[in-house]
Amino acid sequence: ARYFKVTIATFSNMHVFLDSDELDNLDNICDVVRTRSQNVVVLLTAETLRRMWCAAEITTAIKNKVHIILVECGDYVAMDEEIWNEMEQLWDAKEKHALAVQGISMQDVQKAYWHLSTVGTLRFDRFGTIEQQNLVVKNVVEHCSSGNNRKWRSDERYDVNAKQLSE
């Protein structure tokens, strides 16, 4: 995530909010997504969809029609029926309460995660060359820029051809 923040700054003048910079103020993350974010870049790893605060950010973005760009890292495993069925058990009562305080129900999270399955992803190889990695970040910047100038639709898809990323 830090690599993306630093690299995006070299390719654009966008302000990048990195949630891990705000770990002492997690309650405000959803407010930042809701009121001050034009784009949310989700770095999909093996654990992203299992983390309660990631669920909160993703769900808040989708509920508030904030443009989402998905970046799939090598260890990411897409939602399958097993994960879908386990969602109710992913978080304890305290974590579910923290979501509820943000106005997010488990049903909201399920709808948001279902939506993610309809959105194209950019693929990021953590072990790729700097040039390959920078190309993915440039694609993220382009998607962020195009997302700022048009209305986001829940049925919108953006597919990126993997060959374009490696050229």
Side-chain angles (χ1 to χ4, degrees):
R2 176 90 36 220
Y3 172 80
F4 268 82
K5 180 177 181 174
V6 171
T7 309
I8 286 172
T10 65
F11 295 132
S12 75
N13 59 357
M14 284 187 250
H15 173 73
V16 178
F17 169 82
L18 182 59
D19 59 2
S20 60
D21 289 341
E22 302 294 326
L23 293 178
D24 58 337
N25 205 6
L26 288 174
D27 290 337
N28 289 332
I29 287 178
C30 290
D31 189 52
V32 169
V33 170
R34 182 177 22 262
T35 63
R36 299 191 338 223
S37 298
Q38 295 176 329
N39 301 282
V40 170
V41 177
V42 179
L43 299 180
L44 295 168
T45 68
E47 294 300 314
T48 303
L49 300 180
R50 289 179 163 83
R51 291 191 174 131
M52 189 268 303
W53 284 109
C54 294
E57 291 175 70
I58 291 166
T59 304
T60 299
I62 290 171
K63 285 178 70 171
N64 290 277
K65 298 181 176 25
V66 176
H67 185 239
I68 288 188
I69 299 98
L70 300 177
V71 179
E72 184 179 323
C73 298
D75 63 346
Y76 172 67
V77 177
M79 288 285 289
D80 61 13
E81 193 170 333
E82 180 181 335
I83 296 170
W84 188 263
N85 292 332
E86 292 175 358
M87 281 191 69
E88 284 291 330
Q89 289 77 41
L90 281 178
W91 305 300
D92 62 26
K94 183 178 176 183
E95 291 170 315
K96 288 178 185 177
H97 176 74
L99 289 171
V101 167
Q102 298 298 324
I104 298 170
S105 68
M106 286 305 294
Q107 184 178 16
D108 293 331
V109 175
Q110 287 177 325
K111 286 179 184 177
Y113 283 11
W114 178 86
H115 175 75
L116 293 182
S117 70
T118 70
V119 177
T121 62
L122 298 167
R123 287 182 182 79
F124 181 77
D125 182 357
R126 293 180 187 176
F127 303 105
T129 67
I130 292 295
E131 292 79 17
Q132 291 169 327
Q133 292 176 347
N134 285 346
L135 186 56
V136 175
V137 175
K138 286 179 185 178
N139 274 300
V140 167
V141 169
E142 289 172 14
H143 281 284
C144 287
S145 298
S146 65
N148 289 338
N149 297 323
R150 60 180 162 68
K151 186 76 173 161
W152 182 92
R153 297 186 334 258
S154 62
D155 63 342
E156 181 177 15
R157 293 183 66 121
Y158 51 90
D159 296 314
V160 176
N161 185 328
K163 284 196 258 182
Q164 291 174 333
L165 297 177
S166 62
E167 291 176 349

